Amino acid sequence: MKKLKKIKKMFICYLKYLYYSLYCNFKNINNSDTWLISERGVDARDNAYHFYEYLKKNKKNIKVKYVIDLNSSDYKKIDQNDIVQYGSREHYILFKTAGKLISTHIMGYSPDMSLFWRLDKLNLIKLKGKKIMLQHGITYNNLEFFDNKTSKLDLFICGAMPEYKYMLNNYGYSENEIKYTGFARFDNLNNKSTKNQILVMPTFRKWLNYVNDFKKSDYYQKWNKLLNNKDSKL
C-alpha cells in the first residue's frame, strides 16, 4: 500500500511538472536572473543555507529564492521575501525557469529529488537553469549518481583537494565543471584557539533509528573506539 501511494504521489508530481512546463512556455515566463537555492526542501542548515547567507550579505544585487517547507524548524531562518514553499506552484515554475539551480543534493531544488533525478537521467525533463552541486559531505568512493553523465551537473563543488583530484580523474568532469572552493559552511566556523585543532563532525543515518541496540551497532562501536583511543588525542 505504501509503495502504491508513493508511486501515485510521484505520478502526480510529474503531471504537475508537465502542466507548469506548458504554462511557462505559453506565458513565456523568464526567471533567468533568479538563483533558486535549496538543501532538500525541508531544511536550512548546511552549505546551501550558508551560501544563501553569504549572498544576502555580500551580493545583494542577486535575486535569490530559497525552497523550504512551511513546517520546517528552519523556516524562520530564511528571509520571508525569499521563501518558496516546497511543492508550491511557485516552486514548480522556478524549478523550470530559474537561471541557477543550487543545492547540497542532486535535484535538491526539485519538488521530488528521487523522481526528478531519474527523469533527468532519462532525458524526460528539460530545465533552463544551470545545475550547481554544493554537496553536503566529502566524496571518497564510487557513487554512480555523481557521475557527470548521470548527474548532468554544470558545476560540482569540492570541499578538499584530494576529493577534487579524485572527482576530476574518475567522474568525467572537466576543469570548468568541477571546482575546489571548500564548503560554504566552513566559512561559518570560528577559530577560537591558536592551537592546531581537528574538528570532528560525525554524520547520522536514518537507519540508526531502527537499530534495536544502538551501542551494538558498528557506527557506535567505531566512533566510541576512536573517541576513547588514547593515541587519537581527541
Side-chain angles (χ1 to χ4, degrees):
M1 183 63 70
K2 288 184 178 180
K3 188 174 182 180
L4 288 175
K5 286 183 178 180
K6 184 177 181 180
I7 293 173
K8 180 181 178 181
K9 182 180 178 181
M10 293 173 74
F11 180 69
I12 292 173
C13 188
Y14 185 47
L15 287 180
K16 286 183 178 181
Y17 165 78
L18 293 175
Y19 170 79
Y20 285 114
S21 293
L22 291 172
Y23 175 81
C24 291
N25 290 335
F26 180 74
K27 292 289 187 178
N28 196 28
I29 296 176
N30 182 7
N31 287 301
S32 59
D33 63 337
T34 301
W35 293 24
L36 187 66
I37 299 177
S38 181
E39 285 173 6
R40 293 171 295 183
V42 295
D43 43 9
R45 60 188 67 178
D46 207 322
N47 288 316
Y49 171 67
H50 291 293
F51 181 62
Y52 163 79
E53 276 203 318
Y54 170 81
L55 292 178
K56 293 294 290 183
K57 293 177 182 177
N58 301 285
K59 303 291 181 180
K60 296 182 179 181
N61 60 313
I62 293 177
K63 184 178 180 182
V64 58
K65 290 290 185 178
Y66 197 102
V67 179
I68 192 164
D69 189 85
L70 176 66
N71 296 315
S72 170
S73 59
D74 297 326
Y75 187 84
K76 293 182 179 180
K77 294 165 67 175
I78 307 300
D79 188 316
Q80 297 300 297
N81 295 319
D82 300 333
I83 287 177
V84 175
Q85 171 62 33
Y86 180 74
S88 65
R89 174 180 181 274
E90 184 183 17
H91 185 187
Y92 278 92
I93 290 175
L94 286 174
F95 173 56
K96 175 66 179 179
T97 63
K100 299 287 189 301
L101 300 169
I102 305 168
S103 180
T104 50
H105 294 67
I106 297 289
M107 285 290 164
Y109 35 71
S110 75
D112 187 308
M113 289 193 300
S114 178
L115 170 64
F116 284 97
W117 173 75
R118 289 176 171 81
L119 292 174
D120 193 36
K121 183 180 178 181
L122 296 171
N123 296 315
L124 294 177
I125 61 172
K126 187 176 182 181
L127 307 175
K128 294 183 178 180
K130 298 290 185 181
K131 294 183 288 185
I132 300 168
M133 175 66 166
L134 297 178
Q135 286 207 87
H136 55 282
I138 302 295
T139 303
Y140 72 96
N141 52 5
N142 186 25
L143 300 173
E144 177 194 354
F145 48 84
F146 276 175
D147 186 270
N148 191 28
K149 292 182 180 178
T150 302
S151 65
K152 302 177 184 177
L153 293 170
D154 294 286
L155 183 61
F156 189 103
I157 298 299
C158 291
M161 180 55 73
E163 177 196 32
Y164 168 76
K165 292 179 179 178
Y166 174 74
M167 297 296 293
L168 190 61
N169 294 329
N170 295 283
Y171 282 77
Y173 294 98
S174 70
E175 291 184 351
N176 292 325
E177 295 168 328
I178 189 166
K179 299 294 180 182
Y180 166 49
T181 65
F183 288 160
R185 68 171 184 253
F186 290 171
D187 296 335
N188 196 53
L189 298 175
N190 295 314
N191 185 5
K192 296 183 179 180
S193 174
T194 57
K195 298 180 180 180
N196 292 328
Q197 294 179 313
I198 296 176
L199 175 63
V200 178
M201 296 186 291
T203 186
F204 192 82
R205 291 292 179 262
K206 288 184 179 180
W207 60 264
L208 287 169
N209 292 326
Y210 305 99
V211 175
N212 292 327
D213 190 341
F214 176 70
K215 289 187 176 182
K216 291 183 180 180
S217 68
D218 287 342
Y219 182 91
Y220 173 84
Q221 294 290 337
K222 290 179 179 180
W223 273 112
N224 188 53
K225 184 177 180 180
L226 173 65
L227 295 173
N228 290 287
N229 187 332
K230 295 179 180 179
D231 294 330
S232 67
K233 298 180 181 179
L234 291 178

